[in-house]
Amino acid sequence: MKIVGKRKNELLSDGALSEDVMGDESVRPMYLKDYIGQDNARENLKVFIEAANKREEPLEHILLYGSAGLGKTTLAAIIARETGRRFRVTSGPAIERPIDLVITLKTLSEGDVLFIDEIHRLRRPIEEILYSAMEDFMLDRVINKGIGSRPVRIPIPKFTLIGATTRSGNLSSPLRARFGIMLPLSFYSEEQLKEIIVRSAGILRVRITEEAAFEIAVRSRGTPRIANRLLRRARDFADVENDGFIDIQTADYALSCLEIDRCGLDMVDRNILTALAVNFKGRPVGLGTLAASVSEEPENIEEVYEPYLLKMGFIEKTNKGRMATSAAYDYLSLKKPET
Ligand code: ADP
């Protein structure tokens, strides 16, 4: 697998792999049959893959959208494997100049799957290169800038673009319109996360009870990446305290040491809710103000914390900003101020 790009460069650096990345790789499902949940996306893909394989044609361009850690990269790699195509990876922030994208596109081979993670972060002049590349498999370039300049069309191999985004709303309509297949990924149920944890535990050779796996699942914010991370943390506690065995007591102890509560919320979530409910007294708050008040990056609030707090019904987004809901006041055991 050829890996290009910022985030994935971690995987190329020798030796210095973070444990999270390594753990993620070993438990990442390789085939559609091992990909748990997302039934609708999976069933549709099965048909599209079979049809493309029958016709011996590359798949149409696919847009995968959903929160971080829900399985977009995993699914893209599975699509490449199931169609017997090479998988090339890059990301919006890694493509800094138009020439970077041109080189990536020119070095593709016929039928390759090109995965662009965080595709919403492509700058507009770079994104525009994709339009003709996706539609006609042509690069529209201008040679000899200045006097004597002329436009040229350079053919590139037929490829499948898989774009992943946490914010489909931030995608421009011309780019969105060029995806033939759009697949939304949603948060996982507790049962599905439990299944993922049991599967990962098997691969990592960790002994865990069903009850403990469920407990970790409940506190994983509907997200497989978090479920796998909590499993590894629980394994650390089990190795030290319980002969490597994760039972319900060990799981509970590990999760409370990590300050993750029964709703899956951590310190930052609680700080956000407290800021909205107490400091700002339930009034709508802009993203920048909220981020500054909890010392987090606005992007982190939007992409990591907010989607789950919204899903849990603890915050609501209005035109004027984010607000704590009645459920947030109940969660914090506080009385909601009269409006
Ligand atoms: P994203 O690209 O959406 O941020 P990833 O594809 O990197 O998410 O998924 C994060 C991790 O979660 C993967 O390494 C994989 O181990 C696990 N994972 C994701 N989706 C599934 C799934 N449907 N079944 C099992 N494990 C999954």
Side-chain angles (χ1 to χ4, degrees):
M1 174 167 96
K2 167 102 171 129
I3 298 171
V4 201
K6 215 171 175 186
R7 181 154 77 91
K8 269 38 183 200
N9 274 348
E10 284 178 86
L11 296 170
L12 286 180
S13 58
D14 34 70
L17 295 174
S18 78
E19 188 244 25
D20 268 7
V21 170
M22 232 175 12
D24 258 12
E25 286 314 298
S26 62
V27 297
R28 208 187 271 281
M30 308 252 291
Y31 297 96
L32 215 46
K33 67 174 176 41
D34 304 317
Y35 191 87
I36 295 161
Q38 308 296 351
D39 297 352
N40 199 30
R42 214 156 26 91
E43 289 309 312
N44 283 333
L45 270 176
K46 221 186 264 174
V47 176
F48 303 147
I49 289 173
E50 205 180 313
N53 286 348
K54 241 184 205 160
R55 292 195 298 263
E56 296 183 15
E57 276 177 10
L59 266 175
E60 280 197 50
H61 306 302
I62 301 172
L63 182 67
L64 302 173
Y65 56 99
S67 291
L70 291 186
K72 299 181 291 297
T73 310
T74 308
L75 199 53
I78 289 176
I79 293 168
R81 199 170 292 110
E82 298 266 10
T83 49
R85 308 289 182 172
R86 239 170 28 136
F87 188 50
R88 312 279 304 267
V89 181
T90 187
S91 73
I95 306 176
E96 287 170 1
R97 299 162 307 161
I99 190 68
D100 297 332
L101 180 60
V102 169
I103 293 171
T104 301
L105 293 170
K106 274 177 137 179
T107 50
L108 290 175
S109 300
E110 194 75 16
D112 279 359
V113 170
L114 174 65
F115 177 64
I116 305 186
D117 201 4
E118 298 183 74
I119 195 164
H120 62 275
R121 291 176 66 184
L122 279 180
R123 289 187 300 113
R124 186 50 76 95
I126 302 179
E127 181 188 300
E128 283 170 2
I129 299 173
L130 276 180
Y131 301 164
S132 59
M134 290 171 76
E135 202 154 286
D136 310 321
F137 304 105
M138 288 283 179
L139 287 177
D140 286 327
R141 305 293 293 156
V142 177
I143 55 168
N144 297 336
K145 291 218 170 79
I147 301 171
S149 71
R150 60 190 172 88
V152 285
R153 301 206 94 195
I154 308 161
I156 53 168
K158 268 196 170 177
F159 70 104
T160 297
L161 177 68
I162 304 185
T165 180
T166 46
R167 311 220 208 138
S168 66
N170 284 18
L171 232 55
S172 70
S173 16
L175 181 57
R176 191 199 304 261
R178 283 167 171 84
F179 287 98
I181 301 170
M182 315 260 265
L183 297 173
L185 299 190
S186 44
F187 285 112
Y188 291 67
S189 71
E190 290 163 355
E191 275 306 324
Q192 289 166 340
L193 287 173
K194 182 185 130 189
E195 213 182 310
I196 290 172
I197 290 165
V198 168
R199 175 183 173 274
S200 299
I203 294 167
L204 299 170
R205 297 179 186 280
V206 179
R207 288 176 299 138
I208 186 167
T209 64
E210 294 262 325
E211 204 186 355
F214 190 73
E215 188 59 31
I216 296 175
V218 169
R219 287 148 93 159
S220 297
R221 312 171 71 95
T223 309
R225 180 179 293 139
I226 296 177
N228 285 332
R229 191 167 68 219
L230 295 183
L231 169 67
R232 289 195 297 275
R233 292 293 73 78
R235 176 180 60 172
D236 292 340
F237 281 90
D239 281 342
V240 174
E241 312 266 342
N242 203 30
D243 205 16
F245 180 52
I246 308 178
D247 54 15
I248 183 70
Q249 287 79 13
T250 315
D252 205 39
Y253 177 65
L255 292 161
S256 59
C257 289
L258 296 169
E259 301 194 63
I260 294 167
D261 67 17
R262 289 304 312 246
C263 297
L265 303 198
D266 65 15
M267 277 304 286
V268 180
D269 295 301
R270 289 191 286 274
N271 288 344
I272 292 172
L273 292 184
T274 309
L276 289 174
V278 181
N279 309 8
F280 296 104
K281 300 187 171 59
R283 291 191 298 265
V285 184
L287 179 63
T289 312
L290 177 62
S293 76
V294 294
S295 309
E296 278 289 327
E297 290 296 320
E299 227 170 54
N300 254 358
I301 304 257
E302 258 196 318
E303 292 187 11
V304 179
Y305 295 102
E306 196 169 83
Y308 188 66
L309 292 173
L310 280 166
K311 183 211 165 221
M312 295 292 286
F314 287 148
I315 60 174
E316 72 178 298
K317 254 170 140 174
T318 67
N319 287 343
K320 292 184 185 157
R322 286 89 182 137
M323 291 169 73
T325 62
S326 305
Y329 282 91
D330 290 347
Y331 167 83
L332 295 167
S333 307
L334 294 172
K335 198 170 166 314
K336 193 171 182 196
E338 303 292 326
T339 46

